[in-house]
Amino acid sequence: MFEADAEVEGFHRDDLARGYARRIRGAVEAYRRDRSPRPRNLLAAAGASLAATVVLAGAVLVLIRFWRRLNVMLESRYTHRLRSLEIQSVQVIHAERLREAVRTALRVVRK
């Protein structure tokens, strides 16, 4: 600590050094306190982890349900439309082939 630094801050050099030492000591104590393996800290961290796991599991279940409903909706909508792809008794595209193509595309998108 130099005299010029203390003058800029408006303090005596020793007072400024003590103030900095007090702030550093407080920061080190807070760091150690926050990272100490106290039971309260461990329980709080375990609770936060459990809550995050429950939220993740819920989100995964919602996505699975959504995907299944989307699959059912798309398949029911396009199965009906695919059967009507015939022109004057000559089948242009086999409905079953198109249905399988849609199912395969949905499987690829899902993965």
Side-chain angles (χ1 to χ4, degrees), residues 3-91:
E3 199 65 45
D5 296 329
E7 285 179 19
V8 170
E9 295 291 332
F11 292 103
H12 189 268
R13 190 172 91 176
D14 294 336
D15 293 335
L16 188 60
R18 275 191 223 97
Y20 283 150
R22 191 173 24 255
R23 287 178 64 191
I24 291 169
R25 189 177 308 111
V28 168
E29 288 171 359
Y31 177 86
R32 288 179 179 163
R33 182 181 57 247
D34 292 344
R35 286 154 184 82
S36 69
R38 294 181 184 171
R40 184 177 39 158
N41 292 350
L42 292 176
L43 285 176
S49 296
L50 179 64
T53 302
V54 168
V55 167
L56 177 64
V60 167
L61 288 175
V62 166
L63 285 174
I64 289 172
R65 271 193 163 167
F66 171 75
W67 185 254
R68 286 181 182 167
R69 285 186 181 176
L70 181 66
N71 249 350
V72 167
M73 182 190 75
L74 287 175
E75 193 164 326
S76 68
R77 177 181 285 182
Y78 290 108
T79 299
H80 175 66
R81 290 184 181 179
L82 292 176
R83 288 184 186 160
S84 64
L85 287 177
E86 292 182 18
I87 299 175
Q88 296 179 358
S89 77
V90 177
Q91 208 171 27

Side-chain angles (χ1 to χ4, degrees), residues 67 70-71 74-76 78-79 82 95-109:
W67 185 254
L70 181 66
N71 249 350
L74 287 175
E75 193 164 326
S76 68
Y78 290 108
T79 299
L82 292 176
E96 189 59 36
R97 274 190 177 166
L98 282 176
R99 191 177 310 120
E100 277 303 313
V102 169
R103 284 182 187 153
T104 302
L106 287 173
R107 279 190 218 119
V108 168
V109 169

